[in-house]
Amino acid sequence: MLQAAAEIGVDTPPRQGLGRAALVAGFVAYAAVAGAAWWLSLRLIPAELSLTILGKTLHTASVHDHLNNVFLVFLLLPTALWIECVVVGWRDSSLRQLLLARTPSLNTDLAVFILGQGHVLDIVGRVLMLGASMISGAWLHDAIAAHTGVNLGPPPLPFALQLPLYLALYSFFDYWTHRIDHTKFMWPLHRYHHSAEDFGVVTSVRQHPVTFTATFVVNLPLAVLGAPGEVMIYVNVLVVALGFIIHSKIESDWGWIGRWLLQSPNHHREHHKLDMSRPTGHFGIAPIWDHLFGSWYEDKPDPKLAIGVDTPYSHGFFVPRDMLRDYVHFWTGWFGGRNDGPDADLRWLGRKR
């Protein structure tokens, strides 16, 4: 019937591909299997393990912590992918693009995701940061308590109130982290994230391994303030989940929620804009901070806005070259060297601005 209609010039409805009901059913089935595997693993695998290799015994008491991290990723990322599928449909989804139509930019996102899950980027980051990421906020908290008698611990509130409190604190510190990352000297490291030329759920993880401002502007202050670990786990889960959604292909500004409470996908696309003739804004995962500190620029951002940077990137699975180039640019920028723009490549490192 559709073919006959097309032949006589009648408009036919586009094929929708996988129905939303099938997408929801698939996700429910996946979540059930993953949750069961998580529950079973925690009961069958001991929390402490010892392994002897070449006469040396390696011991860890955090096996369950690692399992929790792995399963959270395998729940959060698919959840974000399925939510996006339900909203935009299979044809326009990140999941279909990942499986069937990856772009060079998305290949970079995927490579960074795989290297991150394998902790390769963690090791590289610690080496290139000269160990700075190893500073412990908990140690500073205990030192302050020991030397001053002042315990900056959490307020005596129930968990249901501590969660929004520390989420608000996190969003405040994260706002300033993001603004610092956009300054001249820190931009070469954060630029790696902004180099994405199209959005997909996994674009959220496209981060340079040496990005360290969050360690000092978010993690340290919260640890010094005695943020409870069990609360911060849920705060980080919410932040990671929001990061996946705002980098998705969902086109929405979320109304007043997107303008005041939680940043929307459209507003984050405005933040990633390629056109720098207007100031960059929308730094906060909670837009209230942008309103308070003068970096809110657009109530109704264009969901089709071109994104990216004018510095050239070799998008694809091989990511070390661009990461190294941006790391070198970070240091040369402090000494007056060129570190941004269409001519900012390795052969231009010695040129002054």
Side-chain angles (χ1 to χ4, degrees), residues 42 44-51 58-65:
L42 292 177
L44 295 180
I45 301 176
E48 296 188 28
L49 283 178
S50 295
L51 182 64
L58 303 175
H59 178 80
T60 177
S62 58
V63 176
H64 284 186
D65 290 338

Side-chain angles (χ1 to χ4, degrees), residues 193-333:
H193 176 67
H194 278 258
S195 66
E197 294 180 345
D198 48 72
F199 266 0
V201 170
V202 292
T203 306
S204 175
V205 303
R206 185 192 187 110
Q207 306 286 346
H208 197 285
V210 187
T211 301
F212 61 90
T213 46
T215 300
F216 298 99
V217 187
V218 179
N219 298 339
L220 279 180
L222 285 171
V224 169
L225 291 172
E230 61 273 17
V231 175
M232 292 311 299
I233 288 174
Y234 287 93
V235 168
N236 280 281
V237 166
L238 291 172
V239 170
V240 170
L242 179 63
F244 285 145
I245 294 298
I246 65 176
H247 290 91
S248 72
K249 298 182 183 300
I250 296 173
E251 296 181 0
S252 176
D253 59 19
W254 293 353
W256 68 269
I257 292 176
R259 289 193 295 273
W260 295 97
L261 297 183
L262 291 174
Q263 189 180 94
S264 74
N266 286 4
H267 288 106
H268 196 63
R269 190 175 190 89
E270 172 74 20
H271 173 75
H272 273 254
K273 63 186 174 62
L274 176 61
D275 179 10
M276 296 305 296
S277 62
R278 294 176 294 125
T280 299
H282 307 296
F283 297 105
I285 58 175
I288 183 66
W289 305 122
D290 288 288
H291 287 285
L292 289 175
F293 298 110
S295 52
W296 181 265
Y297 296 113
E298 185 64 66
D299 281 342
K300 296 290 184 181
D302 179 5
K304 303 297 185 183
L305 198 66
I307 64 172
V309 295
D310 59 354
T311 300
Y313 277 80
S314 304
H315 298 287
F317 282 114
F318 187 73
V319 298
R321 179 194 176 279
D322 286 335
M323 287 183 172
L324 178 61
R325 187 272 309 275
D326 289 355
Y327 178 69
V328 174
H329 279 177
F330 165 71
W331 286 110
T332 56

Side-chain angles (χ1 to χ4, degrees), residues 151-220:
N151 185 359
L152 299 174
L157 295 173
F159 176 85
L161 294 178
Q162 286 195 41
L163 183 59
L165 170 64
Y166 281 104
L167 181 59
L169 283 173
Y170 182 103
S171 69
F172 172 77
F173 291 125
D174 180 72
Y175 170 83
W176 288 109
T177 294
H178 208 164
R179 287 201 70 165
I180 291 171
D181 283 341
H182 277 260
T183 59
K184 172 184 175 181
F185 297 112
M186 304 306 301
W187 171 245
L189 298 180
H190 188 58
R191 183 180 65 202
Y192 192 82
H193 176 67
H194 278 258
S195 66
E197 294 180 345
D198 48 72
F199 266 0
V201 170
V202 292
T203 306
S204 175
V205 303
R206 185 192 187 110
Q207 306 286 346
H208 197 285
V210 187
T211 301
F212 61 90
T213 46
T215 300
F216 298 99
V217 187
V218 179
N219 298 339
L220 279 180

Side-chain angles (χ1 to χ4, degrees), residues 95-179:
L95 183 58
R96 178 185 176 278
Q97 191 178 23
L98 281 168
L99 295 175
L100 303 174
R102 287 194 304 271
T103 63
S105 180
L106 191 59
N107 282 337
T108 297
D109 299 340
L110 192 57
V112 174
F113 174 76
I114 294 171
L115 291 172
Q117 292 307 302
H119 298 289
V120 175
L121 295 184
D122 290 344
I123 296 172
V124 172
R126 289 174 183 176
V127 172
L128 295 182
M129 287 170 62
L130 310 178
S133 63
M134 304 297 288
I135 295 176
S136 169
W139 177 85
L140 287 175
H141 172 270
D142 293 341
I144 291 172
H147 289 84
T148 67
V150 177
N151 185 359
L152 299 174
L157 295 173
F159 176 85
L161 294 178
Q162 286 195 41
L163 183 59
L165 170 64
Y166 281 104
L167 181 59
L169 283 173
Y170 182 103
S171 69
F172 172 77
F173 291 125
D174 180 72
Y175 170 83
W176 288 109
T177 294
H178 208 164
R179 287 201 70 165

